Amino acid sequence: SRFQGATIVIKYGGNAMTEPVLRAAFAADIVFLRYSGLRVVVVHGGGPQITAHLARLGVESTFVGGLRVTTPETMDVVRMVLLGQVNRDVVGLVNDHGPFAVGLSGEDANLFTARRRPAIVDGEEVDVGLVGDIVEVRAETVNALLGSGKVPIVASVARGIDGGVYNVNADTAAAELAVALGATKLVVLTDVEGLYADWPTSDEVLSELSITELEQLLPTLAAGMIPKMEACRRAVRGGVPQAHVLDGRVPHAVLLEIFTDDGIGTLISPDRDLAAPATVPTATTPPAPAAVPALAAGGTPQETGGRP
């Protein structure tokens, strides 16, 4: 009963999205969470699916500074794959268990607004095309769906402040949406057990870090973990009490984290003297304002009100 009304945002990706057994388990977990009284939002990307579709079209995928070079033609494929394939697949898997999931794009009702961002290579800015940073989140549509008992499934594309459409990082999108919703938890599913203490020397997983400890470690992390841990940093600095990185290769990883005493993966929480109580609030999280400014990359949270 202590989970009633709490909001959780889950970033879905990696092997959990491509392995049939894990996909089915994930969908069942989402429905279990919904029946347990949580307000669940799923944010997804689809990098492997986009790369595969571009390859079928004879288009080579190019990455600069960890960002996909996104021409207008590539953006058409990104949009088609995320909205027409991946989003529909996730919605269908959840709805095999009942009429719960509703597919959304970051473009819908201007849920996400983004501005163009360059890649940084050796300290220099490099244009990578239609890749964006989220600058505003309008969460009222997602709140309305949650209030009606639905599970929003959100594809990580955004409307541009210039009226265009941008490819945005799904980890970042999940973090910004968690802040806007006043979520209790952000969960990031990935393909590793969590954050390693001293990779590759050791495979010991850090079970918990404060936000300050994470910020000290960020410059030393492997490139693949930086977007995920940066998303956790954004969420916690934005007022989300807990952010988790979990191994999506483990069946029912989300349930193991939420409904067991020990949990799994790596938990990021506020600094000890500022930490919120570990228990999940019993009251429904109040709706966020109509428009919530997103965190600037590497910056500090804006004052938005209405958050824990």
Side-chain angles (χ1 to χ4, degrees):
S1 63
R2 67 189 176 97
F3 288 92
Q4 297 297 311
T7 300
I8 179 172
V9 176
I10 302 172
K11 188 271 177 168
Y12 180 44
N15 279 338
M17 181 180 279
T18 57
E19 298 277 346
V21 172
L22 294 175
R23 293 171 69 232
F26 176 79
D29 291 353
I30 294 303
V31 176
F32 185 93
L33 293 173
R34 190 267 183 196
Y35 276 127
S36 299
L38 280 87
R39 293 156 40 106
V40 187
V41 182
V42 176
V43 178
H44 69 82
Q49 293 91 333
I50 293 167
T51 298
H53 196 89
L54 287 170
R56 286 194 292 270
L57 296 174
V59 179
E60 182 180 356
S61 293
T62 304
F63 294 86
V64 175
L67 301 176
R68 184 187 298 274
V69 176
T70 307
T71 64
E73 294 76 21
T74 301
M75 189 64 225
D76 287 341
V77 174
V78 169
R79 205 179 190 187
M80 178 180 67
V81 171
L82 291 184
L83 304 182
Q85 176 187 339
V86 179
N87 192 269
R88 303 323 305 167
D89 285 349
V90 180
V91 168
L93 285 167
V94 173
N95 285 346
D96 283 343
H97 301 277
F100 303 121
V102 177
L104 293 173
S105 156
E107 299 173 68
D108 292 330
N110 293 352
L111 174 57
F112 298 139
T113 301
R115 65 164 171 252
R116 194 168 181 138
R117 64 166 292 184
I120 305 297
V121 179
D122 297 328
E124 299 291 329
E125 293 188 353
V126 178
D127 183 20
V128 289
L130 299 175
V131 176
D133 255 338
I134 295 172
V135 295
E136 186 178 59
V137 180
R138 300 186 64 90
E140 63 268 26
T141 300
V142 173
N143 262 317
L145 289 169
L146 291 171
S148 65
K150 302 304 181 186
V151 177
I153 311 293
V154 183
S156 57
V157 295
R159 176 185 180 273
I161 56 177
D162 57 2
V165 181
Y166 284 86
N167 185 13
V168 297
N169 181 276
D171 299 309
T172 303
E176 301 292 7
L177 186 54
V179 171
L181 292 170
T184 298
K185 294 176 183 286
L186 168 69
V187 173
V188 178
L189 293 179
T190 184
D191 290 340
V192 295
E193 295 174 82
L195 185 61
Y196 295 112
D198 187 21
W199 182 261
T201 305
S202 168
D203 61 359
E204 175 192 356
V205 174
L206 296 169
S207 61
E208 184 171 357
L209 285 172
S210 71
I211 185 64
T212 296
E213 291 168 338
L214 172 63
E215 289 171 341
Q216 292 169 348
L217 281 176
L218 266 174
T220 70
L221 298 182
M225 283 301 289
I226 290 175
K228 298 168 188 352
M229 301 315 297
E230 172 62 19
C232 292
R233 186 197 72 80
R234 288 185 181 217
V236 173
R237 283 297 184 199
V240 178
Q242 297 179 334
H244 308 258
V245 174
L246 305 182
D247 190 348
R249 299 169 302 177
V250 177
H252 309 296
V254 176
L255 300 189
L256 290 171
E257 168 53 41
I258 296 175
F259 293 116
T260 63
D261 291 335
D262 294 334
I264 61 173
T266 300
L267 166 67
I268 308 301
S269 56
D271 292 320
R272 301 299 186 269
D273 56 340
L274 300 176
T279 55
V280 177
T282 56
T284 300
T285 304
V292 179
L295 300 183
T300 56
Q302 303 295 316
E303 293 296 327
T304 60
R307 297 199 304 254

